[in-house]
Amino acid sequence: MFLGMEGVDKEKVQRIVYETSKGSKYFENEEKKEALLRQKIENMRAQRAKLSAADLSHYQTLADRRILELEATRDLSRIWLHVDMDAFYAAVETLSNPSLKGKPMAVGGMSMISTANYEARRFGVRAAMPGFIARKLCPELIFVPIDFKKYTHYSELTRKVFEKYDPNFMAASLDEAYLDITEVCKERGMSCGEIAEELRKCINEETGLTCSAGVAPNRLLAKVCSDINKPNGQFVLINDRMAVMTFISSLPIRKIGGIGKVTEHILRDAFGISTCEEMLQKGGLLCALFSHSTADFFLSVSLGIGKTDTPQVRSRKSISSERTFSATDDETLLYQKLADIAEMLCADMKKGGLCGRTLTLKLKTASFEFLASLHLLLAFHFPAEDVIKVRSRAVTLEKYICSSEDILKYASKLLKAELPISLRLMGKNSHYGLYSLLSEGLRLSHFNEDNIGAPSDPTQKTLNNFIVPGDLSRKNLDDPKSLGLDINDQHLMNNMEGSFSIESHELQHYGIRDPLDSNNLQDLNVHHCTYTDSVEAEKIHEPSSNKIADKVITKDMAGEVSQRKESGLSLPGQLEWGSPDRMNRVIMDNEAVFSSEQKDGLVWVDDYKCSLCGIEMPPYFDEERQEHSDFHLAERLQKDESRMDSRTSTPRQRSVQKDHISSQSKRKKRKPSPKEGGHLSIDMFFARSNQNF
DNA sequence: GGGAATAAGATAC
DNA sequence: TTCCAGTATCTTATTCCC
C-alpha cells in the first residue's frame, strides 16, 4: 500500500490533474513522450515476435546459466538497514511551526512542491507535483517555502545517530541512508529488528522526527522493506534464501529502485511482466531483447540479489546549477540569468573546494510559437513542432576553473554560440517561428580536487593541443569577434587569456558561415551594421591566409545558391552577391532578411490567390501579402530545421552537414540514434541501481 | 582500436 | 490568478586523434 494513499479517490485525483494540466506545453510534451514510448514498446513486441523457437531456447539456456552464476554470488552474510525519514521536509516544517500539525501542508511553491505531509497526501497531493494542481486537489492546502538550511541541520542530527550504528553509513540523500548493521548486531547481541527499533527511537529523541526502516540482506531489498510499513514503522526480511525468494516473487517490479515508469511500462506491455517472479520466468526473453548489463540487472533483481559491500568513498563527479524562468528570448536577460547561475555555481564550488575544467551549458527551449496579429493568417493551423527540448553544449578547458568570472566567461561563449535561440522572421505586425528559452543551467565536471584553485596542467591532451597556431580557419572562442560578439557583450568577456577552443568538426561552421545560420541574423540584428560592415566582419572571420578554406567557401556557397534555387528558399547569404535593392532593404529594415515571395515559391495566381495554400488576398493587401509570404517561408524553414534537427542535433552539426551536402564530403554516416527509431536501450536506467544496490 | 570529448536521454530523490 | 524543479549520475552514440 502506498503510504498515505488510504482513502484517496484516485479517479477524482486523476480527473483533476488531467483537467488542470490539459492543453499545457508540459501536457503536450508528456503526450509526445508517451507516444514515443508506445512506439518503442511496439518495436520490442515486433522483435519479440521475430524470435524463433530455437532462438528462445538458446537465450533460455543463457539465462539459466546466468541465474546460476548470480546465485553463486548471493551474499547473506551482511545485514543492511535502510532508513527513510517520513515526509522529511514537511515534518521539519511542522516541528518549527506546530500550528501546521494536522493540516494539509506542502513544502514548495505554486510551480512545484517538494514534499507533502500525510494529511495533504490524502487529497492526492504528491511530491514533484506543481503547486497549482495541488491546490486544485486540496484548496485548503498550506504552502511552506523550502528552507534547505533547516533540513540540512536536521539531516546532520540524524547522521550523528547513524554514525553510532555504522561509522561508514551511506547517505543517499538528506533524508535517506543505508547502514551495515552486521557488526553492531553482533557486538551488542541484539537482533536486527531490535537495532532498527532502537535507532528509530534514538532519531526521534534527537530530532523529534519519525522515520521508517527496512532491514534485509542487501541494500536493494532494504530499500524496498523500508517502504512497507511507512510511516513510522519497520519491516525485517531475514537473511534466508527462501525468505528472500518468497518476498521478492510477488513484489511488483515498480517497487524496485531503478525501475521507473518507463521501464515498468516496457516490461509490462511488451513482455507481460509485472512481478519479479514473472521477470525470472521470462529471463530468456529478457536476455534475447536487452543488453547484457540490463538483462543481468533484471535477473539479479528477480533473485533478490543486491549489493552488500560498503563502497569506497565515491567522490562527486560534477556540480551544477540551473534555473527555470518564464520563456524568453531576450538576450540581455539570458546573459543576466547566466551570470546569476555562474555566481551560484561558483558559491557551491567554493563550498565544496572544487575546481573543474569541463563546463556544460544546458538550455531548455520552449516550442515554436505562432503569433500573428492578422486574422487572415490565423486561418492556417500550424502544429507546434518540438514542444520542449533540452540542448547541452560543453567545453573542456586546459585549466581548472572555479571563479564566477571564469565560469561566466566560458559560459557566455557557449551561450553566444547558440544565440539567437529563436528563428525569427519579424514582419511589421507578426512574429513567427520562435524558440524561447525556459531554463539555463551550468555544470562543471572533471574536478581537480588535489590542486584546488590553482591552474594546473592536466596530462591529458585537450583539443587545444591540436590547434595549429595561426590557423584562423578554426574559430577560437577566445576571440570575441570570431563569435560575432558585440560591444555590449564585452563586459562578459574580459580577461580573455584562457585557452578555449572547440572541436574541429564544429569549427568548420565558424570558418565558413552558413547563410541560413541564425547567427548571421544575429550579427545583422545586434550590430545594426550596414552591408559593408557585415562583409568586413565576414572577412575577419574568414581565414585570410588559408587558401583552401577560401576555395571551400566559394564552392559551398555556390552549392547553397543552387540548392536554394532548386528548393525555392530564399538565401540570406545572397545579400553578399545579390541585388542592391535587397541589400538596402536589409540596411533599412535590419530584420526582414527573408522577405521575398518568389523565393519561397509563392505566386499569386490570378493576382489574388496564393499558389501554396489557396488563400485569397487582394493585390492592395501589400503588407498582408508580404507577411503571408514570410509565413510560408517560416514554415518551410522550420520543416528544414526540424528535419536537420532529427538527423543531427546541434546547429553546428546541422551547418556542417549542410556544408557536407554541398561539398560532397566523405564523412562517415552516423548510425541512427535510439531517438531516430533505433532500438530502445534502457541500460542507463539501471546503471545507477546496479551501482547503488 | 582506445581514449577523450561531446551530446542526448533517462532515472532517482 | 498562478500552468510542471533542481541536482547528480550513468549509458549510448559519434567523432577525432594517436
Side-chain angles (χ1 to χ4, degrees):
Chain A
M1 191 69 197
F2 278 114
L3 44 137
M5 288 296 278
E6 302 85 6
V8 175
D9 184 344
K10 282 184 189 166
E11 263 181 39
K12 189 183 164 197
V13 169
Q14 273 177 3
R15 183 170 46 79
I16 293 175
V17 171
Y18 174 78
E19 282 169 4
T20 313
S21 54
K22 193 173 58 181
S24 69
K25 270 187 190 127
Y26 173 83
F27 186 84
E28 284 170 26
N29 205 43
E30 285 298 298
E31 286 196 321
K32 286 199 170 178
K33 273 156 58 182
E34 273 170 32
L36 208 67
L37 180 58
R38 279 196 294 274
Q39 184 58 55
K40 283 173 180 174
I41 289 169
E42 279 309 311
N43 289 346
M44 295 214 89
R45 277 189 179 151
Q47 284 181 44
R48 183 191 170 173
K50 277 185 205 160
L51 292 172
S52 65
D55 289 333
L56 283 172
S57 156
H58 165 73
Y59 285 110
Q60 190 56 53
T61 311
L62 273 183
D64 290 342
R65 194 192 307 157
R66 190 64 193 132
I67 286 168
L68 283 177
E69 285 168 3
L70 287 168
E71 190 59 63
T73 69
R74 188 191 291 275
D75 177 9
L76 293 168
S77 68
R78 311 303 301 177
I79 305 169
W80 278 93
L81 171 70
H82 179 247
V83 187
D84 194 348
M85 301 302 293
D86 301 324
F88 185 53
Y89 298 175
V92 170
E93 293 299 342
T94 307
L95 212 58
S96 54
N97 180 5
S99 72
L100 293 168
K101 206 169 182 182
K103 295 173 188 164
M105 179 264 277
V107 176
M110 275 303 154
S111 66
M112 186 59 69
I113 60 179
S114 290
T115 315
N117 65 8
Y118 291 95
E119 286 80 3
R121 291 183 194 192
R122 283 188 200 106
F123 290 88
V125 176
R126 323 282 317 157
M129 175 182 268
F132 68 94
I133 291 180
R135 176 149 283 177
K136 279 259 165 71
L137 290 168
C138 175
E140 62 267 43
L141 185 68
I142 300 166
F143 287 89
V144 177
I146 294 175
D147 183 353
F148 276 108
K149 238 182 178 173
K150 228 187 265 177
Y151 316 141
T152 307
H153 168 72
Y154 280 94
S155 181
E156 277 164 8
L157 293 181
T158 66
R159 288 174 187 188
K160 277 183 186 148
V161 176
F162 298 155
E163 251 173 19
K164 291 181 195 163
Y165 294 84
D166 176 11
N168 302 313
F169 76 92
M170 296 166 65
S173 61
L174 280 182
D175 68 327
E176 265 184 64
Y178 293 93
L179 289 79
D180 182 345
I181 55 168
T182 319
E183 302 308 323
V184 77
C185 285
K186 269 187 211 162
E187 281 165 16
R188 297 175 55 185
M190 289 167 77
S191 73
C192 50
E194 286 167 345
I195 289 287
E197 195 84 52
E198 187 192 286
L199 181 141
R200 288 178 41 237
K201 197 172 159 227
C202 192
I203 295 254
N204 186 245
E205 282 166 3
E206 291 295 320
T207 64
L209 302 166
T210 65
C211 65
S212 300
V215 179
N218 59 55
R219 293 198 290 278
L220 179 125
L221 293 172
K223 170 128 174 94
V224 176
C225 289
S226 70
D227 202 38
I228 293 175
N229 286 321
K230 227 175 190 320
N232 200 16
Q234 63 183 56
F235 183 89
V236 176
L237 176 60
I238 57 166
N239 286 29
D240 174 78
R241 190 186 170 274
M242 274 309 287
V244 168
M245 290 308 288
T246 308
F247 175 80
I248 200 84
S249 63
S250 59
L251 196 71
I253 51 170
R254 187 69 169 82
K255 291 279 181 189
I256 302 291
I259 298 186
K261 200 176 94 178
V262 174
T263 315
E264 180 195 26
H265 203 154
I266 290 169
L267 288 175
R268 192 190 60 213
D269 294 356
F271 305 101
I273 295 172
S274 297
T275 65
C276 291
E277 188 177 29
E278 288 163 345
M279 196 144 74
L280 188 60
Q281 285 164 355
K282 297 186 178 173
L285 215 50
L286 299 175
C287 285
L289 293 166
F290 291 93
S291 72
H292 179 81
S293 60
T294 307
D296 229 44
F297 172 70
F298 287 144
L299 290 178
S300 61
V301 159
S302 63
L303 291 168
I305 291 171
K307 294 274 169 70
T308 57
D309 60 318
T310 299
Q312 299 298 312
V313 180
R314 288 181 64 205
S315 53
R316 174 207 279 276
K317 302 229 168 95
S318 69
I319 186 165
S320 63
S321 189
E322 64 180 83
R323 286 296 174 273
T324 298
F325 34 80
S326 43
T328 180
D329 61 347
D330 178 340
E331 294 186 10
T332 313
L333 198 66
L334 290 174
Y335 279 112
Q336 186 50 55
K337 298 270 182 201
L338 200 65
D340 296 342
I341 294 166
E343 283 288 345
M344 290 188 283
L345 184 59
C346 169
D348 290 345
M349 296 285 290
K350 281 181 179 158
K351 248 183 257 169
L354 299 165
C355 280
R357 53 185 278 264
T358 297
L359 181 70
T360 307
L361 170 73
K362 180 179 158 189
L363 302 174
K364 196 183 266 187
T365 58
S367 70
F368 282 129
E369 297 281 352
F370 288 91
L371 308 171
S373 61
L374 286 169
H375 66 280
L376 282 168
L377 292 170
L378 294 175
F380 302 93
H381 174 63
F382 279 81
E385 297 276 334
D386 314 285
V387 177
I388 294 170
K389 214 168 193 176
V390 179
R391 297 182 189 178
S392 68
R393 297 289 179 265
V395 69
T396 299
L397 308 164
E398 263 195 342
K399 63 173 188 177
Y400 290 92
I401 60 167
C402 59
S403 72
S404 59
E405 292 79 20
D406 275 340
I407 295 170
L408 181 59
K409 180 169 77 183
Y410 298 113
S412 299
K413 292 170 187 179
L414 289 171
L415 178 62
K416 188 71 202 176
E418 294 304 308
L419 292 177
I421 292 298
S422 54
L423 165 63
R424 274 189 290 184
L425 294 175
M426 297 279 287
K428 276 184 183 163
N429 300 312
S430 54
H431 187 189
Y432 318 119
L434 151 71
Y435 266 124
S436 41
L437 277 188
L438 282 175
S439 86
E440 289 176 335
L442 288 173
R443 181 170 69 245
L444 259 170
S445 47
H446 261 129
F447 295 138
N448 174 21
E449 286 170 85
D450 305 329
N451 198 5
I452 299 155
S456 79
D457 186 21
T459 49
Q460 289 165 310
K461 277 200 172 181
T462 67
L463 293 160
N464 236 53
N465 295 71
F466 307 124
I467 307 270
V468 181
D471 180 2
L472 299 174
S473 69
R474 299 186 151 200
K475 184 161 178 168
N476 193 309
L477 292 184
D478 265 341
D479 174 8
K481 277 180 184 165
S482 68
L483 278 173
L485 289 176
D486 68 1
I487 299 301
N488 296 326
D489 296 312
Q490 290 294 331
H491 69 282
L492 297 166
M493 310 291 284
N494 49 4
N495 302 320
M496 311 293 265
E497 79 293 343
S499 55
F500 185 96
S501 45
I502 51 178
E503 274 192 84
S504 55
H505 69 274
E506 294 181 338
L507 289 159
Q508 288 185 44
H509 166 67
Y510 293 108
I512 306 157
R513 305 191 95 203
D514 179 357
L516 261 186
D517 186 347
S518 49
N519 281 320
N520 291 358
L521 295 178
Q522 168 73 356
D523 283 348
L524 287 168
N525 286 333
V526 175
H527 291 293
H528 298 285
C529 60
T530 63
Y531 167 68
T532 316
D533 288 341
S534 167
V535 170
E536 283 304 313
E538 207 61 36
K539 279 181 181 166
I540 293 163
H541 298 157
E542 284 172 13
S544 55
S545 61
N546 191 331
K547 297 290 176 201
I548 296 166
D550 280 340
K551 277 181 197 165
V552 176
I553 289 170
T554 314
K555 189 179 174 188
D556 283 359
M557 289 306 187
E560 281 285 356
V561 171
S562 59
Q563 257 192 317
R564 294 290 149 192
K565 273 183 184 164
E566 278 166 30
S567 67
L569 277 173
S570 68
L571 218 186
Q574 270 182 330
L575 292 168
E576 283 146 45
W577 305 276
S579 69
D581 285 347
R582 205 161 300 288
M583 292 176 210
N584 286 337
R585 188 162 172 184
V586 172
I587 298 162
M588 298 290 286
D589 291 349
N590 206 18
E591 50 191 23
V593 185
F594 291 96
S595 310
S596 167
E597 288 176 4
Q598 284 74 26
K599 288 191 171 176
D600 52 32
L602 186 160
V603 173
W604 293 103
V605 181
D606 297 334
D607 215 22
Y608 73 94
K609 198 170 177 179
C610 171
S611 61
L612 295 177
C613 66
I615 190 170
E616 298 177 2
M617 226 181 264
Y620 50 86
F621 273 49
D622 252 2
E623 277 188 16
E624 289 81 353
R625 279 190 172 202
Q626 182 59 56
E627 286 174 1
H628 186 78
S629 170
D630 286 348
F631 197 51
H632 279 301
L633 184 57
E635 178 192 29
R636 192 153 203 158
L637 288 172
Q638 277 170 38
K639 279 180 186 161
D640 210 33
E641 165 104 352
S642 72
R643 202 171 50 240
M644 288 294 187
D645 232 28
S646 66
R647 264 183 286 162
T648 61
S649 31
T650 73
R652 291 172 199 164
Q653 286 171 327
R654 279 202 300 278
S655 166
V656 168
Q657 195 169 54
K658 279 182 220 161
D659 288 342
H660 286 187
I661 291 165
S662 55
S663 64
Q664 301 292 308
S665 163
K666 290 171 196 163
R667 191 175 282 255
K668 266 193 277 178
K669 259 193 175 176
R670 203 166 66 81
K671 277 186 202 166
S673 69
K675 187 184 162 195
E676 294 157 351
H679 179 272
L680 170 73
S681 166
I682 57 170
D683 282 12
M684 59 193 83
F685 299 170
F686 311 113
R688 202 173 148 207
S689 12
N690 283 327
Q691 200 85 36
N692 289 343
F693 304 104

